[in-house]
């Protein structure tokens, strides 16, 4: 028996649910790339993206996924042979660093693990030891989607400043922009990048990079620049230069609608919504975890992200549970990845989601725990409902 027919629930941490209005905005014929609507959309997106990153700097739009955004960020500010410090806190900063290594920069990793946030004191210590300022840039993710940790970017900036180190601070906000506060200028972030398909509620295929004046100064002497990613080329007057070729028209119309939705809700409100739905999820997981078969991957509560929750299943492979949810309930959860493969699952609460969607996912998980006889504390969904009932007025 299955009860999966009906609206499917995609509860993976990207791509995320796309609002119907965003889908509808893309349902239109192709248009001329040199006139009319296309020019207006480009202009307003290039005006609004810096507002989302909270910077007075400039933003660039690439027809690319997040990995393309990584390459764009690195190639515009670095030169072959320079050293970059990667702050490990899961998988994604390491992946970004690995890309840099292949491009020809030296990668130095500040060791971390998949259950903890980056320790700002350790960052200060490592940078203090770099007396000749070999390190030119620091790579960190705000939310690591694999571990579900959130890093304190403002505290990392303070750590860098405490030892007066001049390295650029480069932040991956793919899984956090639109989901929690990000203050590029106020936090002293020099380069920030994101993708369309997570908190920004748009199909995969667009990457964004924002740069401040320090990043643009580094750009002047970067020798990893290539034509497609190059900021200077994209700053040119001709419209096709903004995209290094044909604009990804339909994705841009979708993004326009998604940013309208986000700006109408307000960034602060969206962050609060994510915080509430994340905490509701954590209340449920905490209740289930009482029986010992499930646990939070992230050890310290204050380091748990508001866009995704990684749940460890220490003594069993979660695959049967994921299969049950997919085939019997129509709910797709995220797998554990990296060193958590076969030992964890991930619940997304990112982007276009509301309380009933969250209850739907949590209710199905609890149903799966019952069906598969996985030991769990009862009343997880109840705890989530009660939490939101107390908080939302
Ligand atoms: C999803 C993600 C990426 C990679 O994005 P792709 O579009 O899959 O290339 C990078 N960083 C973080 C934090 C992510 O969550």
């Amino acid at each position: 028996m299955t009860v999966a027919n009906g609206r499917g629930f995609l509860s993976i941490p990207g791509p995320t649910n796309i609002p119907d209005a965003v889908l509808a905005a893309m349902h239109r014929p192709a248009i001329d790339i040199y006139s009319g609507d296309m020019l207006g959309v480009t202009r307003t997106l290039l005006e609004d993206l810096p507002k989302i990153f909270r910077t007075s700097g400039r933003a660039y739009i690439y027809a690319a996924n997040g990995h393309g955004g990584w390459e764009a960020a690195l190639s515009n500010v670095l030169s072959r042979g320079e050293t970059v410090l990667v702050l490990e806190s899961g998988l994604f900063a390491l992946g970004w660093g690995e890309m840099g290594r292949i491009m020809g920069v030296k990668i130095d990793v500040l060791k971390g693990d998949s259950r903890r946030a980056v320790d700002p004191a350790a960052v200060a210590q490592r940078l203090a030891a770099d007396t000749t300022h070999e390190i030119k840039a620091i790579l960190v993710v705000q939310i690591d989607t694999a571990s579900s940790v959130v890093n304190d970017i403002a505290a990392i900036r303070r750590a860098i400043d405490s030892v007066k180190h001049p390295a650029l601070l480069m932040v991956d906000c793919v899984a956090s922009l639109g989901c929690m506060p990000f203050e590029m200028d106020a936090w002293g972030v020099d380069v920030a990048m994101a993708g369309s398909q997570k908190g920004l509620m748009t199909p995969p295929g667009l990457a964004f990079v924002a740069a401040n004046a320090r990043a643009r100064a580094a750009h002047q002497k970067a020798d990893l620049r290539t034509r497609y990613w190059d900021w200077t080329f994209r700053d040119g007057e001709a419209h096709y230069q903004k995209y290094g070729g044909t604009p990804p028209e339909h994705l841009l119309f979708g993004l326009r609608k998604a940013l309208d939705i986000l700006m109408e809700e307000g960034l602060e409100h969206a962050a609060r919504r994510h915080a509430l739905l994340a905490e509701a999820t954590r209340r449920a997981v905490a209740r289930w975890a009482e029986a010992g078969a499930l646990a939070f991957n992230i050890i310290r509560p204050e380091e748990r992200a508001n866009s995704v929750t990684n749940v460890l299943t220490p003594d069993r492979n979660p695959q049967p549970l994921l299969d049950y949810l997919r085939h019997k309930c129509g709910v797709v959860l995220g797998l554990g990845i990296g060193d958590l493969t076969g030992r964890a699952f991930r619940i997304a609460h990112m982007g276009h989601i509301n309380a009933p969607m969250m209850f739907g996912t949590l209710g199905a998980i609890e149903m799966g725990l019952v069906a598969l006889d996985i030991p769990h504390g009862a009343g997880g969904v109840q705890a989530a409902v009660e939490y939101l009932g107390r908080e939302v007025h």
Side-chain angles (χ1 to χ4, degrees), residues 201-269:
M201 307 177 287
T202 304
L206 296 177
F208 316 111
V209 180
N212 71 4
R214 291 186 73 226
R216 304 185 67 76
H219 173 76
Q220 297 310 322
K221 44 186 181 36
D223 77 8
L224 284 177
R225 286 160 58 176
T226 58
R227 169 51 66 86
Y228 185 69
W229 307 119
D230 195 293
W231 293 340
T232 298
F233 180 73
R234 283 169 182 254
D235 285 339
E237 281 304 309
H239 182 260
Y240 85 95
Q241 289 181 266
K242 309 291 176 206
Y243 303 100
T246 303
E249 296 184 334
H250 295 81
L251 289 172
L252 297 168
F253 285 115
L255 177 68
R256 180 63 269 164
K257 189 56 168 183
L259 294 192
D260 289 345
I261 292 171
L262 186 57
M263 291 167 91
E264 193 183 329
E265 178 179 16
L267 288 173
E268 268 180 45
H269 190 281

Side-chain angles (χ1 to χ4, degrees), residues 308-326:
V308 56
T309 296
N310 185 316
V311 183
L312 293 182
T313 54
D315 49 11
R316 76 193 67 232
N317 189 319
Q319 197 58 49
L321 177 64
L322 298 187
D323 291 343
Y324 179 92
L325 290 169
R326 182 187 292 262

